[in-house]
Amino acid sequence: MACPENMFFLIVLFMSVVLACFGQRDLITTMPDRLDGLTGSCVQIPCSFDIPGQNKYTFNSTILTSGVWIKESPYFGGLPDNVIFNSSKTVNRYQGKITGNMSQKNCTTVFFNVTTSYTNKYFFRIESQPFRVTDTGKSVDIVVRDLPSSPIITVSGEVKEGTPVSLNCSAVAPCPEHPPELTWTLPTQFTTKNQLQENPDQTKSVLSTVTFTPSYLHHEQNITCTAVYPVGASNKTAEHNMMLNVSCKI
């Protein structure tokens, strides 16, 4: 016959499985589906959470609440090494910091000096006596690479001879504290405007807009947008080249 401790554990496990099957979550986190990081830099995870109705009276925001990040699987009971960050600990497997205000349900977190070994799936958990729960239904995939992804150039409207036109270049900013610097190479004089912007999923990117007046001499000329990412004492760069297709003035 199972001892009372084991029986209690089995009951809790059974109830968790039943709730999961019916789509009920004790913790609901909001964060991006995926983040692309750069080795040696930081990665910021925009994160917020909510407590469903059935648990609103269990969670007390006035009590110190710890944030925990778990890699690979939300079920870490037999895999303690998968717990890579706990805000209540002074030493963690990953160097990081919860920059959000947990009492306001903001769990935004920054991991520093990331490496390619950080590429994994991550789940969030909160621990606040007596409320301890992991959101098993939501995770963020973090992919860390040695080289940055290329920026993206878009054209607003048709490029016509003699008519001012604007080109946009955007580059992801996984570490908003050290965003990339965007520069242009064009075969003519131009003006630029750069800004750090927030995307719909609360990630950050840098947008650079260049405005110039094309002529027939610019037809089939190359333009380049270069993103320079500061990483420690060095830089990492990526660029996007595009050929201008200038329509003749009628």
Side-chain angles (χ1 to χ4, degrees):
M1 181 177 179
C3 66
E5 292 82 1
N6 290 340
M7 184 64 70
F8 176 76
F9 173 78
L10 291 173
I11 292 173
V12 171
L13 180 62
F14 173 76
M15 290 302 297
S16 299
V17 172
V18 169
L19 289 173
C21 289
F22 284 93
Q24 296 185 28
R25 292 152 65 187
D26 294 326
L27 174 68
I28 298 176
T29 55
T30 300
M31 51 189 172
D33 294 327
R34 172 178 168 139
L35 290 169
D36 292 299
L38 190 59
T39 54
S41 187
C42 78
V43 170
Q44 176 175 286
I45 308 172
C47 175
S48 61
F49 65 90
D50 196 17
I51 312 297
Q54 69 268 21
N55 294 313
K56 283 190 181 295
Y57 297 104
T58 308
F59 175 73
N60 186 346
S61 62
T62 63
I63 298 176
L64 181 64
T65 302
S66 300
V68 181
W69 287 96
I70 309 159
K71 71 175 183 179
E72 199 169 320
S73 169
Y75 308 106
F76 62 93
L79 300 167
D81 289 351
N82 281 9
V83 179
I84 50 87
F85 180 81
N86 187 326
S87 63
S88 67
K89 308 292 184 182
T90 55
V91 178
N92 284 288
R93 294 185 178 276
Y94 287 12
Q95 181 186 1
K97 179 182 180 181
I98 292 184
T99 58
N101 187 336
M102 291 287 287
S103 66
Q104 296 179 6
K105 300 179 181 179
N106 186 333
C107 45
T108 297
T109 303
V110 179
F111 291 139
F112 304 102
N113 196 27
V114 299
T115 67
T116 54
S117 66
Y118 282 40
T119 298
N120 215 313
K121 185 186 299 288
Y122 295 87
F123 296 83
F124 187 70
R125 172 182 177 86
I126 63 173
E127 295 185 349
S128 175
Q129 295 291 353
F131 192 69
R132 299 185 177 192
V133 65
T134 304
D135 185 356
T136 61
K138 177 61 180 176
S139 63
V140 55
D141 287 316
I142 296 179
V143 179
V144 181
R145 294 191 172 93
D146 291 325
L147 297 175
S149 55
S150 297
I152 298 173
I153 297 176
T154 56
V155 184
S156 57
E158 185 180 359
V159 182
K160 283 185 177 183
E161 179 186 6
T163 303
V165 66
S166 294
L167 306 178
N168 295 318
C169 179
S170 63
V172 295
C175 183
E177 290 184 2
H178 304 286
E181 179 182 354
L182 299 183
T183 58
W184 291 88
T185 303
L186 274 76
T188 185
Q189 291 184 335
F190 57 89
T191 59
T192 60
K193 178 182 178 183
N194 297 337
Q195 61 180 345
L196 182 67
Q197 63 177 14
E198 185 171 281
N199 302 313
D201 62 358
Q202 295 188 318
T203 57
K204 300 291 194 299
S205 62
V206 175
L207 177 68
S208 179
T209 302
V210 61
T211 302
F212 68 102
T213 301
S215 76
Y216 72 94
L217 295 174
H218 301 141
H219 183 60
E220 295 187 343
Q221 294 290 310
N222 283 327
I223 60 172
T224 303
C225 176
T226 303
V228 180
Y229 288 82
V231 180
S234 61
N235 294 322
K236 295 186 177 183
T237 63
E239 64 181 32
H240 183 182
N241 297 298
M242 188 182 81
M243 182 180 291
L244 284 174
N245 183 14
V246 181
S247 299
C248 293
K249 198 172 188 179
I250 300 176

